């Protein structure tokens, strides 16, 4: 993985610190430095049976994480890229026990070690999708098993004392917490209604993340299993879209957005589970008269028992891969285009799952911010080490180094991320338009996207950045509360640095510009071929543009 400039400078700082601190602090700093070279780490969290493991399999592109309850679903599991497929059970005492993948290609249900002794399961896979992203699957929250709840709370970095009245609150499993609290981002999976303890779980993740906490900056919600909202094979998207928007409003201070997904279809399509034989079975079923199909697809029991040209085993496999909505969708596609290829059918199936929107969001809100997110995480860890070390000289060395780093213009991005996180979570209230502008400034270095001037030239962009800096400066000194004033001063300097960067880039020799802004911000008008359903991130951006243009 290519290390970004902020992370590279942070790694250099770690090397400088290592030569000046004692062995205890040095070991912790070395861990921070090594993490900077790793891919962005995202934790998948949520309640039991919310569909976390199914989503993990879709992200990985292989069905490796078991979705049925078992020993391996009771512990933290980390999926990362490696030269060979390998499963290591890492115990609390540091010992590692290697296991082969099962005959079905999945992690074995039995780990050979009591779950209470397991710190985490380390899975390396040759999946190309893991080259730039490490995925951490967590135990479910709100378990009746107190040990499991403890590990889940620890996975989220819960740092306060146990509360016996809380559904998932428990003592920290230090080994699991040290592994998983290092995640730079979180995707929280839930189904249907958001509960109070769903919000509490996200708050627990925030408390563990220090400078770059879980917030709309680096957290998103995944509304899974939307196909269960309606009965039979009916289309769930007319219900799922508005419900996801309501949930997003409820979690506005915690996640950037809520993305509805049919996890089963995403897993089946992305993991290549739908075989040629399965497609042939669907083609055979598509020849059944429409009125008979409606009865077949009315319920799972009817699909299993009503007369049809498929045997019981084949029907059961289609239910396992697609459930009724997926089966109905495939049959409708084949009825409309009998010659449709198997590959095209799978592609449409993935589109119907809503998973491409989640992939785009990960690219747009996490990967292209990865350098700043990782550098911010590393800085928070160094500050935490300084706060906990008992050696006064090491403490002063660490604090002096981090303060010196933050004075560098490039690292003002971390100040911006910090204040943007505080504003996004509601800790420091700002007008909505100002909050959005601050978030854009903190999370991108593309001036056209930040300033909402997609076609502007360097002179216009520089002038707009200076004007924005002036507005924030006036806000800081006239009428803002102390906390708002501190945020405004950081934004003021950020826009001045942006203006300087625009002028410097304009004066530099022509070079191929790498686009770093979200793909949805390419243009300020919606393209004619933009997807209409399921609801997509692009549409949300177009709506935002229309709203802002009307102000």
């Amino acid at each position: 993985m290519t290390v970004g400039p902020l992370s590279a400078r942070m790694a250099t700082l770690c090397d400088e610190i290592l030569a000046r601190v004692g062995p205890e602090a040095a070991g912790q700093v070395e861990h921070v430095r090594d993490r900077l070279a790793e891919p962005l780490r995202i934790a998948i969290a949520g309640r039991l049976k919310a569909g976390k493991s199914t989503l993990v399999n879709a992200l990985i592109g292989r069905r490796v994480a078991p979705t049925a309850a078992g020993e391996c679903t009771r512990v933290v599991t980390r999926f990362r890229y490696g030269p060979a497929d390998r499963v290591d059970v890492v115990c609390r005492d540091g010992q590692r026990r290697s296991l082969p993948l099962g005959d079905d290609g999945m992690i074995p249900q039995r780990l050979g070690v009591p779950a209470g002794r397991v710190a985490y399961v380390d899975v390396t896979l040759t999946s190309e999708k893991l080259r730039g992203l490490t995925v951490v699957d967590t135990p479910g929250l709100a378990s009746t098993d107190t040990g499991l709840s403890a590990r889940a709370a620890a996975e989220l970095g819960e740092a306060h004392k146990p509360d016996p009245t809380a559904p998932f609150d428990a003592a920290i499993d230090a080994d699991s917490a040290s592994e998983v609290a290092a995640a730079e981002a979180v995707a929280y999976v839930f189904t249907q209604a958001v509960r109070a303890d769903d919000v509490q779980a996200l708050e627990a993740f925030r408390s563990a993340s220090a400078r770059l906490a879980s917030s709309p900056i680096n957290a998103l919600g995944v509304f899974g299993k939307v196909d269960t909202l309606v009965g039979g094979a009916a289309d769930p998207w007319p219900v799922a879209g508005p419900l996801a928007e309501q949930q997003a409003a409820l979690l506005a201070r915690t996640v950037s957005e809520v993305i509805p997904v049919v996890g089963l279809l995403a897993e089946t399509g992305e993991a290549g589970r739908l075989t040629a034989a399965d497609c042939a079975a669907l083609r055979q079923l598509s020849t059944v008269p429409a009125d008979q199909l409606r009865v077949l697809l009315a319920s799972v029991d009817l699909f299993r028992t009503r007369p049809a040209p498929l045997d019981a085993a084949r029907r059961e496999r289609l239910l396992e891969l697609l459930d009724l909505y997926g089966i109905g969708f495939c049959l409708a596609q084949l009825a409309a285009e009998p010659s449709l290829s198997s590959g095209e059918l799978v592609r449409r199936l993935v589109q119907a799952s809503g998973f491409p929107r989640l992939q785009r969001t990960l690219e747009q809100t996490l990967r292209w911010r990865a350098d700043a997110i990782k550098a911010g995480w590393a800085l928070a860890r160094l500050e935490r080490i300084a706060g906990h070390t008992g050696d006064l000289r090491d403490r002063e060395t660490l604090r002096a180094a981090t303060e010196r780093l933050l004075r560098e213009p490039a690292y003002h991005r971390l100040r911006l991320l910090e204040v943007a996180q505080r504003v996004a979570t509601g800790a420091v209230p700002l007008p909505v338009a100002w909050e959005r502008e601050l978030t854009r400034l903190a999370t991108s270095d593309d001036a056209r996207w930040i300033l909402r001037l997609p076609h502007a030239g360097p002179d216009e962009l520089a002038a707009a950045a200076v004007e924005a800096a002036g507005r924030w400066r006036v806000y800081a000194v006239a009428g803002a509360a102390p906390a708002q004033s501190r945020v405004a001063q950081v934004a003021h300097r950020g826009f001045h640095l942006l203006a300087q960067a625009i002028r410097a880039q304009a004066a530099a020799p022509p070079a191929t510009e790498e686009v770093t802004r979200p793909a949805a911000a390419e243009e300020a008008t919606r393209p004619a071929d933009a997807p209409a359903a399921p609801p997509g991130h692009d549409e949300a951006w177009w709506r935002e543009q229309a709203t802002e243009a009307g102000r």
Side-chain angles (χ1 to χ4, degrees):
M1 176 184 175
T2 303
V3 178
L6 297 179
S7 297
R9 176 66 183 91
M10 183 63 72
T12 300
L13 180 71
C14 289
D15 287 334
E16 295 170 358
I17 293 172
L18 283 172
R20 301 168 57 193
V21 296
E24 181 180 355
Q28 298 177 68
V29 173
E30 189 172 10
H31 171 72
V32 172
R33 182 197 62 189
D34 293 344
R35 275 285 292 115
L36 287 165
E38 296 178 12
L40 188 75
R41 188 176 300 185
I42 181 170
I44 310 298
R47 305 175 63 85
L48 285 171
K49 299 182 180 179
K52 299 185 303 297
S53 296
T54 299
L55 180 64
V56 166
N57 289 331
L59 289 169
I60 293 172
R62 288 175 57 176
R63 193 166 187 260
V64 179
T67 55
E71 288 181 359
C72 54
T73 62
R74 294 173 172 263
V75 297
V76 172
T77 306
R78 182 181 66 184
F79 297 90
R80 57 192 179 90
Y81 181 82
D85 294 346
R86 180 186 178 98
V87 178
D88 283 347
V89 179
V90 182
C91 299
R92 295 188 177 191
D93 58 8
Q95 293 184 348
R96 299 177 76 97
R97 174 186 172 88
S98 294
L99 298 174
L101 289 172
D103 293 338
D104 56 1
M106 303 179 74
I107 301 170
Q109 286 284 0
R110 296 191 175 277
L111 300 177
V113 178
R117 289 181 52 203
V118 177
Y120 63 96
V121 177
D122 186 19
V123 182
T124 59
L125 300 169
T126 56
S127 171
E128 289 297 313
K129 294 187 177 183
L130 291 175
R131 281 191 180 271
L133 188 70
T134 293
V135 180
V136 181
D137 192 7
T138 76
L141 298 171
S143 170
T144 55
D145 179 339
T146 56
L148 174 57
S149 293
R151 286 188 292 278
E155 196 286 332
L156 289 173
E158 184 107 24
H160 53 79
K161 294 182 179 179
D163 175 3
T165 66
F168 65 88
D169 197 15
I172 298 175
D173 177 337
D175 296 306
S176 293
S178 64
E179 162 64 18
V180 189
E184 295 98 349
V186 61
Y188 195 81
V189 185
F190 50 85
T191 57
Q192 299 192 23
V194 178
R195 302 196 205 176
D197 55 351
D198 289 319
V199 179
Q200 187 182 0
L202 285 163
E203 293 291 341
F205 185 90
R206 172 182 299 145
S207 70
S209 304
R211 178 179 296 275
L212 251 183
S214 171
S215 73
I217 300 297
N218 67 329
L220 56 91
V222 179
F223 177 19
K225 299 185 179 181
V226 300
D227 54 321
T228 63
L229 291 172
V230 293
D235 183 4
W237 290 105
V239 177
L243 186 54
E245 290 184 3
Q246 293 174 13
Q247 292 170 334
L250 181 64
L251 296 172
R253 292 301 182 191
T254 333
V255 298
S256 58
E257 59 183 305
V258 171
I259 302 170
V261 173
V262 183
L264 179 62
L265 300 192
E267 179 192 61
T268 294
E270 290 293 313
R273 298 189 65 203
L274 199 69
T275 65
D278 298 323
C279 292
L282 288 166
R283 291 182 192 281
Q284 188 176 5
L285 196 59
S286 69
T287 62
V288 173
D291 57 341
Q292 295 181 32
L293 277 181
R294 279 195 295 272
V295 176
L296 271 175
L297 297 175
S299 74
V300 170
D301 286 342
L302 288 172
F303 186 79
R304 285 171 172 155
T305 58
R306 295 288 296 179
L310 297 180
D311 60 31
R314 182 59 62 187
R315 297 191 210 190
E316 203 62 39
R317 175 166 170 82
L318 290 179
L319 285 172
E320 176 192 344
L321 295 175
L322 303 169
D323 212 345
L324 290 178
Y325 169 60
I327 294 171
F329 176 84
C330 290
L331 295 180
Q333 298 297 308
L334 291 169
E337 298 181 53
S339 61
L340 192 67
S341 69
S342 298
E344 177 62 16
L345 180 63
V346 171
R347 190 193 70 80
R348 294 185 186 183
L349 195 67
V350 172
Q351 289 289 331
S353 74
F355 187 69
R357 177 185 171 190
L358 176 61
Q359 289 178 306
R360 288 195 302 271
T361 302
L362 288 173
E363 289 288 340
Q364 294 164 3
T365 65
L366 295 181
R367 286 185 191 268
W368 61 281
R369 302 177 187 174
D371 184 31
I373 289 175
K374 288 175 68 64
W377 172 87
L379 183 62
R381 293 294 159 177
L382 293 179
E383 291 174 336
R384 183 169 295 182
I385 295 169
H388 288 80
T389 182
D391 189 308
L392 180 60
R393 287 181 300 179
D394 286 355
R395 184 182 309 167
E396 292 302 319
T397 297
L398 284 158
R399 286 178 174 169
T402 55
E403 289 172 4
R404 185 174 64 252
L405 182 78
L406 283 170
R407 287 195 293 268
E408 298 178 13
Y411 264 81
H412 190 69
R413 170 68 62 80
L414 301 187
R415 294 281 194 202
L416 285 166
L417 281 168
E418 182 177 12
V419 298
Q421 179 266 333
R422 295 177 63 202
V423 170
T425 57
V428 179
L430 283 181
V432 173
W434 294 71
E435 178 181 330
R436 289 176 177 172
E437 185 174 64
L438 176 63
T439 300
R440 294 195 301 271
L441 178 64
T443 57
S444 178
D445 57 4
D446 187 290
R448 291 184 176 88
W449 186 65
I450 294 168
L451 298 165
R452 286 299 196 245
L453 296 171
H455 306 295
D459 291 342
E460 184 180 355
L461 289 171
V466 170
E467 187 273 333
R471 279 191 287 104
W472 283 95
R473 177 61 178 167
V474 171
Y475 183 66
V477 299
Q484 294 169 324
S485 179
R486 286 191 290 271
V487 169
Q489 288 167 1
V490 173
H492 161 73
R493 184 173 184 232
F495 274 108
H496 264 307
L497 291 172
L498 178 64
Q500 292 175 9
I502 293 168
R503 295 187 184 107
Q505 186 175 12
T512 301
E513 181 183 359
E514 181 180 355
V515 177
T516 58
R517 63 182 179 273
E522 290 283 344
E523 299 291 341
T525 55
R526 179 179 175 182
D529 59 348
H537 180 67
D538 291 343
E539 293 190 20
W541 193 84
W542 307 126
R543 286 197 299 271
E544 179 184 338
Q545 293 308 295
T547 301
E548 291 192 359
R551 288 193 179 110

